[in-house]
Amino acid sequence: MPTKPILLVDDDIELCALLADYLRHEGYAVDSVYTAEAALQWLEQDTPALMVLDVMMPGQSGLELLQQLRPRWQVPVLMLTGRGEAIDRILGLEMGADDYLAKPCNPRELLARIRAILRRSTDLPAVAGQAEIPADTPDGVFPRRPLVVSGIYLDPGMREARVGDQPLVLTSAEFNVLAYLMQHAGQVLGKAELTRWVLHRELGAYDRALDVHVSRVRQKLAQALGSERDWIKTVRGQGYQLVRSE
Amino acid sequence: MRVYQGLYWKMFLVIWLVSLAGMSSVYLLLNSRLDSAHKLEVLEARAQGQARLMLERYEQQDPEWKRADGGRHRLRIWLYSADGAEQLTHWRRPPPEPTLDFELTTASGRVYQARVPLPRDERHAEHLLERLFSLQMVLILLVSALSGGVLSALVVRPIRRLSDHVRDLHEHRDLSLRADRRLSARRDEIGELTREFDRMADYVEQTLSARQQLLQDVSHELRAPLARLQAAAGLLEQRLTRDDPLLQRIERECDRLNSLIGEILAYSRAGQQAVTDESFTLQGVADELMADLRLRQPERPFSVQLEDEGLCYPRGRSQLLCALQNGIENAVRHTDPGVALTLSIRRLADAVELRLRDYGPGVAPDLLTQLFTPFVRGQAASADGFGLGMSIALNAIDQLGGQVDAHNHPQGGLELIIRLPLD
């Protein structure tokens, strides 16, 4: 169990209390703040294991808070968005949230997402062994040793990536995307498989989280490598592929 | 509306006929007055000339004095002595009335009186006919037609523009449209009518947006207690640590409420999301739909027919996707999982046409007309539908200026036809 607390940021005080109860019962330390400003103050003092962030808040919204968060704090963020607000989800993911959940949500679902994010950001290699590995991908193991592909260097142990001397600033989900694509460079990886590895959950219908993470990595790579070339190819109807440089 | 029923032609005809009648009667009246005055003058001159000639011969004692020249056109003149007592001409009867009377003084200085009967105008009808076809009448015809045309156009054209505007308002479902400044700035009745229309549109727009706002607010407000309810149910489940059917029931109802709120929000918000001006391939949209459907119902056959893989549409990807997702959702809810779905996309001359068809039982004809009405559901509706999906689809396509139509395919199944304009 992580010793660092989970930070709930939501203006609904009663809901925070209920969710905190629920999570504490599961053995997590939980702290709640009710405004974005209070969340920033809290972050000045301590680093949470994970932040659960409500998008709809009076005053500063969750999205604005997210914008201020990165890149100073690399704390994983699970966003709670209103149902039917697809734009908020995409925006949130693009601003560096790790995953989203539509609110109101079943607390069991929330717990599952929190577990998935905590597993992949704290104890990655061990988790890779636990996750379901598709039978048809014998190489489907999360990388442990440093990888170099097409001029990109990635160290899973240190959780750092760089191109030449220039470090790539990636969120944990983006890091996982890149690591898994590099491990299987040249192969076409299905969205369902990638979601399982990157977000530690199953791909859902109307689920665009993976696509946003991939497009973010694609942008950052293009910036760092300074080329027009698309390093991550979208294979229609199948998934994504990292292109090896010749 | 038939041509002759149009206001323009009615007004034109009335103005034309009235001004034609007015102008031509004035013309004819004036003309006949002038005409008779002129004739009288001529007659008088002729009578005087002839009488003078006759009297000169009379004084010269010419026995044939009465047959003064003039032949056939000779006038019949009654001549009298100065006091009128003696008739020189010896006509048996006095002249028929009315007569033209005048006095004459001959070169010898003697004075006589003369009376000439005025001719009765027997060729009156002939004259009238002649005048009717004169150049003046043709001119009157033209001028009155012109004034009729101009006057009717002055009234009818702004009314047409106003009715076009109101039709736009309705067809584009864009209540923020207001009439042309040129129309509403007019100071006449049409300007007033236009301003009243605008005020009505204001009112309708405000009412509708207030309703949408209310719907949104209520849904938002419902969310918070629902979230707490779910969290509380979760806590209860933790404490009871068993799969209580009542708890499951609570959770299921929470989910239902939740998706209802989601749909109401999506419905009330439809049309507010901006249309992005970014070209996209229809193949990409089809792929996305296929991937989503495979995750939801892996066993359902779904095929896409696309003539040209590179076919693109210039804007509003999320609106189109939303409409198609709701169309598919509708099929998923109302047909068995084994029933096939097809999406065929083709390019027409000035539009892209998408046909989404299922091979299920189709929809009852009376329900078909209400398919796009909010909260109307089929009888066999499963528990998780609210009848908003098709309304959301309609709104989304409306936003792109397209059309949606639903009908039962002749070979069975419901077919949804979406047409998006290409410009």
Side-chain angles (χ1 to χ4, degrees):
Chain A
M1 281 299 141
T3 47
K4 289 184 204 162
I6 293 170
L7 183 62
L8 296 179
V9 187
D10 192 330
D11 60 307
D12 189 339
I13 298 171
E14 289 169 71
L15 180 65
C16 278
L18 288 166
L19 289 179
D21 260 7
Y22 187 87
L23 293 173
R24 281 193 196 109
H25 196 270
E26 297 294 328
Y28 293 98
V30 184
D31 214 341
S32 311
V33 288
Y34 312 115
T35 61
E37 291 78 11
L40 282 173
Q41 276 172 20
W42 198 98
L43 283 169
E44 294 288 348
Q45 329 256 304
D46 199 355
T47 317
L50 170 84
M51 201 157 110
V52 178
L53 177 61
D54 186 22
V55 171
M56 290 269 296
M57 281 192 293
Q60 232 180 0
S61 81
L63 290 177
E64 285 168 312
L65 175 62
L66 205 54
Q67 225 165 6
Q68 293 176 38
L69 224 56
R70 309 291 191 210
R72 191 173 152 200
W73 286 286
Q74 285 301 322
V75 47
V77 173
L78 174 64
M79 239 184 357
L80 294 181
T81 64
R83 222 163 257 273
E85 282 149 6
I87 289 292
D88 281 357
R89 281 172 213 174
I90 304 292
L91 269 179
L93 290 168
E94 283 185 344
M95 286 176 185
D98 287 69
D99 207 351
Y100 63 74
L101 194 59
K103 182 188 168 186
C105 57
N106 194 315
R108 249 182 295 130
E109 181 70 24
L110 178 68
L111 182 66
R113 293 282 168 112
I114 287 175
R115 278 190 178 142
I117 295 177
L118 287 178
R119 262 191 313 212
R120 69 169 184 256
S121 59
T122 54
D123 194 18
L124 204 73
V127 171
Q130 288 168 18
E132 251 180 88
I133 300 166
D136 57 341
T137 51
D139 295 335
V141 206
F142 210 85
R144 287 150 205 265
R145 280 165 300 146
L147 294 164
V148 182
V149 178
S150 307
I152 311 161
Y153 172 88
L154 180 132
D155 185 348
M158 304 293 292
R159 289 197 74 77
E160 69 166 353
R162 45 177 210 267
V163 172
D165 294 333
Q166 207 187 333
L168 277 175
V169 183
L170 300 171
T171 65
S172 72
E174 289 160 11
F175 186 88
N176 289 2
V177 167
L178 185 59
Y180 201 69
L181 282 171
M182 281 171 74
Q183 173 83 349
H184 306 277
Q187 273 174 262
V188 178
L189 302 170
K191 283 188 188 179
E193 182 190 346
L194 269 166
T195 303
R196 221 172 282 138
W197 281 100
V198 170
L199 299 171
H200 291 259
R201 62 175 173 82
E202 292 301 316
L203 178 64
Y206 315 125
D207 186 355
R208 304 281 169 260
L210 179 77
D211 303 298
V212 176
H213 288 312
V214 170
S215 89
R216 292 271 296 167
V217 173
R218 188 184 270 154
Q219 276 173 26
K220 287 180 178 179
L221 278 183
Q223 249 172 28
L225 291 165
S227 78
E228 287 295 301
R229 191 169 161 192
D230 207 353
W231 291 95
I232 303 177
K233 240 173 74 181
T234 307
V235 183
R236 226 194 67 212
Q238 296 185 52
Y240 297 103
Q241 175 190 24
L242 182 73
V243 184
R244 283 179 192 276
S245 63
E246 287 87 29
Chain B
M1 190 168 70
R2 300 206 180 92
V3 172
Y4 59 84
Q5 286 175 322
L7 189 56
Y8 179 83
W9 290 109
K10 281 181 187 162
M11 285 185 61
F12 173 78
L13 271 178
V14 168
I15 295 174
W16 188 44
L17 289 176
V18 167
S19 60
L20 190 64
M23 281 160 90
S24 52
S25 57
V26 167
Y27 164 71
L28 292 176
L29 209 74
L30 268 178
N31 235 1
S32 68
R33 282 255 174 102
L34 279 174
D35 227 34
S36 50
H38 176 67
K39 271 188 182 158
L40 204 64
E41 260 170 45
V42 171
L43 186 73
E44 197 174 350
R46 272 177 68 203
Q48 280 195 5
Q50 196 182 328
R52 197 176 295 278
L53 203 67
M54 283 166 80
L55 286 170
E56 267 167 25
R57 290 192 186 170
Y58 171 74
E59 283 176 2
Q60 287 160 13
Q61 317 241 309
D62 185 343
E64 293 289 316
W65 69 274
K66 275 192 225 167
R67 299 241 172 104
D69 61 5
R72 270 192 332 121
H73 295 291
R74 221 164 39 146
L75 294 165
R76 295 209 307 170
I77 302 178
W78 276 253
L79 291 170
Y80 301 88
S81 54
D83 54 3
E86 189 195 357
Q87 195 197 143
L88 305 177
T89 39
H90 301 293
W91 297 102
R92 254 178 248 144
R93 272 178 290 179
E97 296 286 328
T99 55
L100 173 71
D101 301 353
F102 54 91
E103 275 186 1
L104 265 180
T105 315
T106 54
S108 60
R110 269 176 283 186
V111 177
Y112 300 89
Q113 279 192 10
R115 297 185 77 185
V116 181
L118 285 173
R120 239 178 281 147
D121 201 348
E122 275 145 12
R123 295 189 303 165
H124 209 72
E126 208 175 306
H127 281 174
L128 198 72
L129 219 65
E130 222 169 70
R131 284 197 192 109
L132 270 180
F133 292 100
S134 65
L135 180 68
Q136 283 93 326
M137 272 315 288
V138 172
L139 272 176
I140 287 177
L141 210 71
L142 284 180
V143 168
S144 56
L146 195 71
S147 63
V150 169
L151 274 173
S152 320
L154 271 178
V155 175
V156 172
R157 265 192 48 212
I159 292 182
R160 280 230 183 103
R161 286 226 308 274
L162 185 61
S163 92
D164 284 349
H165 160 69
V166 175
R167 191 179 317 118
D168 279 354
L169 207 73
H170 166 74
E171 273 180 3
H172 298 170
R173 281 169 229 260
D174 183 2
L175 286 169
S176 62
L177 283 176
R178 288 294 172 269
D180 197 336
R181 275 289 301 156
R182 276 178 305 169
L183 269 183
S184 55
R186 286 170 74 113
R187 293 185 170 202
D188 53 12
E189 283 84 349
I190 290 169
E192 208 168 288
L193 181 64
T194 311
R195 288 190 292 278
E196 289 303 325
F197 260 116
D198 276 356
R199 276 183 50 198
M200 190 178 70
D202 277 343
Y203 174 72
V204 173
E205 188 187 17
Q206 275 168 19
T207 312
L208 281 184
S209 65
R211 197 191 67 173
Q212 281 198 333
Q213 193 57 48
L214 181 72
L215 218 52
Q216 272 184 34
D217 290 350
V218 168
S219 311
H220 271 304
E221 292 306 314
L222 283 176
R223 263 181 182 174
L226 182 60
R228 292 191 285 253
L229 185 63
Q230 270 186 324
L235 270 170
L236 201 59
E237 194 188 15
Q238 249 177 359
R239 298 210 177 131
L240 293 175
T241 57
R242 61 188 164 94
D243 281 339
D244 195 298
L246 276 176
L247 262 175
Q248 281 171 9
R249 184 64 196 247
I250 290 175
E251 267 175 30
R252 228 180 18 249
E253 296 303 328
C254 281
D255 286 342
R256 252 175 73 72
L257 213 58
N258 200 354
S259 50
L260 173 60
I261 291 172
E263 271 195 34
I264 293 178
L265 273 172
Y267 170 67
S268 66
R269 213 177 273 144
Q272 289 182 4
Q273 199 186 340
V275 177
T276 50
D277 268 326
E278 211 172 298
S279 184
F280 61 91
T281 64
L282 290 157
Q283 180 73 56
V285 169
D287 286 343
E288 204 166 319
L289 291 169
M290 208 182 249
D292 283 333
L293 185 61
R294 204 177 294 139
L295 283 165
R296 290 207 42 177
Q297 284 191 325
E299 67 278 29
R300 185 179 291 266
F302 181 46
S303 63
V304 175
Q305 291 149 19
L306 184 58
E307 281 171 9
D308 168 16
E309 283 199 8
L311 184 59
C312 285
Y313 194 70
R315 62 181 171 275
R317 186 181 199 273
S318 54
Q319 275 82 10
L320 178 61
L321 195 64
C322 164
L324 288 170
Q325 275 169 353
N326 279 293
I328 290 178
E329 195 65 29
N330 190 54
V332 163
R333 276 183 189 158
H334 297 285
T335 59
D336 294 328
V339 170
L341 272 180
T342 58
L343 174 65
S344 48
I345 306 172
R346 64 194 180 120
R347 206 205 138 117
L348 305 177
D350 55 352
V352 172
E353 186 187 71
L354 300 105
R355 284 171 181 259
L356 181 67
R357 183 196 166 184
D358 66 53
Y359 287 76
V363 173
D366 55 326
L367 204 65
L368 201 57
T369 52
Q370 300 177 59
L371 202 63
F372 296 104
T373 314
F375 296 109
V376 172
R377 283 192 280 171
Q379 288 158 345
S382 57
D384 56 346
F386 305 102
L388 280 173
M390 299 306 274
S391 320
I392 295 171
L394 176 71
N395 280 346
I397 295 302
D398 257 357
Q399 231 192 323
L400 300 181
Q403 291 168 328
V404 197
D405 203 15
H407 70 121
N408 283 317
H409 196 276
Q411 273 117 49
L414 180 71
E415 188 172 48
L416 201 65
I417 304 169
I418 297 175
R419 272 194 203 94
L420 299 175
L422 281 168
D423 27 39

